[in-house]
Amino acid sequence: MSDSILDFYEGLAEEYHLLFADWEQSVDRQGAVLDALLRRSGAPPPRRVLDCACGIGTQALGLAARGYSVHATDLSPSAVARAEREARAMHVSLTTGVADMRMLDWQVPGTFHVVMSCDNAMAHLLEDSDLDDAAHAMASRLVPGGLLVASLRDHSALLEKRPRFTAERVLDTPLGRRVLFQVWDWAVDERQYTVRQFILRQESGIWHTTEHTGVYRLLQPVELEQALTKAGLVDPRWYTPQETGFNQPLITARKP
């Protein structure tokens, strides 16, 4: 991962919740969706979960609130610090650490029943070597029979449309009006795309604008499956948003 990815999440950490109409409600909903998936997959609480792309805790907090023993890590120290603050505010117990998902095998001690990476985080692995390193590192943290869970954007659908921008979302909140939209730039070879997230906030009648830029790989399902298989994981299975209620397609795979 390049420094630009770290800068993206370092800059977004204090504003990430603004991307949701109600972030705490989203934490609860995503926790419920993932809890149902883990129970169906034979990993109910209090199973040990490593969320290795935790951000500010959107999935980690929801699972911890449901009785899972969660260790939440991220490349961004600012995001991890924010997750710690949110855990205290929500009276949720979890542990945290700063770690690169490509280096979990030596940055994160112990093993887990579930290793998780959601919200398209693995699409930041721009090179095949990065993807393979992350898949091996994630697999190394699983107990025998443990479950990997990851989510991706539907990149096949995106490639067909090659969007240049997303329609604006206007949110009215007790603290003022908020406008969200994204501008997308596609690489000439269409293997990568850059997302520029704009957040406009109205405070005391004055508008404030921030912009956060992230680079993603157009990671296809078959590429992720191949990386997980090379890492020794078996039985990959995809779940559509219609099946799970999660906002992106999810894949699971097991360690033999």
Side-chain angles (χ1 to χ4, degrees):
M1 294 184 185
S2 67
D3 290 341
S4 66
I5 304 302
L6 175 59
D7 292 342
F8 176 49
Y9 287 106
E10 284 284 282
L12 190 57
E14 294 304 318
E15 293 193 317
Y16 189 82
H17 67 289
L18 298 176
L19 303 179
F20 300 81
D22 187 326
W23 179 68
E24 290 191 12
Q25 184 179 74
S26 294
V27 168
D28 182 67
R29 181 182 61 79
Q30 292 194 31
V33 166
L34 291 169
D35 175 42
L37 177 65
L38 296 182
R39 289 176 184 273
R40 185 183 349 175
S41 302
R47 291 293 194 267
R48 297 190 306 278
V49 176
L50 170 61
D51 183 350
C52 69
C54 70
I56 68 169
T58 308
Q59 294 84 35
L61 293 166
L63 287 177
R66 283 168 172 75
Y68 292 85
S69 176
V70 178
H71 184 57
T73 66
D74 198 274
L75 184 71
S76 164
S78 296
V80 171
R82 175 80 191 275
E84 292 172 349
R85 297 203 310 270
E86 296 297 341
R88 290 193 294 270
M90 296 181 186
H91 306 289
V92 169
S93 177
L94 51 70
T95 58
T96 61
V98 176
D100 186 322
M101 69 170 67
R102 298 168 301 178
M103 305 175 187
L104 300 174
D105 44 351
W106 63 274
Q107 290 184 340
V108 176
T111 54
F112 302 83
H113 298 100
V114 179
V115 174
M116 184 171 64
S117 172
C118 290
D119 286 339
N120 204 44
M122 297 191 77
H124 287 305
L125 301 163
L126 303 181
E127 303 295 334
D128 288 345
S129 58
D130 293 324
L131 181 60
D132 288 342
D133 287 347
H136 279 90
M138 294 168 74
S140 77
R141 298 302 85 194
L142 283 170
V143 301
L147 189 74
L148 180 140
V149 180
S151 81
L152 286 179
R153 288 188 176 119
D154 186 347
H155 285 133
S156 297
L158 287 173
L159 186 58
E160 289 181 8
K161 298 179 180 179
R162 290 193 293 273
R164 294 300 308 278
F165 65 92
T166 61
E168 72 279 1
R169 295 165 56 214
V170 181
L171 305 175
D172 291 301
T173 76
L175 298 179
R177 180 165 290 181
R178 191 157 73 241
V179 181
L180 309 170
F181 65 93
Q182 297 176 348
V183 176
W184 292 43
D185 295 313
W186 291 80
V188 174
D189 62 5
E190 295 184 333
R191 287 183 54 81
Q192 296 180 15
Y193 58 98
T194 300
V195 175
R196 304 179 191 278
Q197 173 70 62
F198 290 87
I199 303 173
L200 286 69
R201 286 183 291 168
Q202 186 183 38
E203 297 177 356
S204 302
I206 299 174
W207 285 93
H208 304 271
T209 304
T210 53
E211 181 250 330
H212 306 280
T213 302
V215 180
Y216 296 86
R217 169 183 180 162
L218 199 71
L219 184 58
Q220 297 297 327
V222 65
E223 294 177 303
L224 180 53
E225 283 188 38
Q226 289 172 348
L228 298 181
T229 300
K230 285 173 63 177
L233 301 179
V234 298
D235 299 328
R237 177 177 176 183
W238 285 96
Y239 297 84
T240 66
Q242 291 75 21
E243 289 177 284
T244 64
F246 199 75
N247 61 302
Q248 294 176 345
L250 285 159
I251 186 172
T252 62
R254 289 194 181 276
K255 186 171 184 175

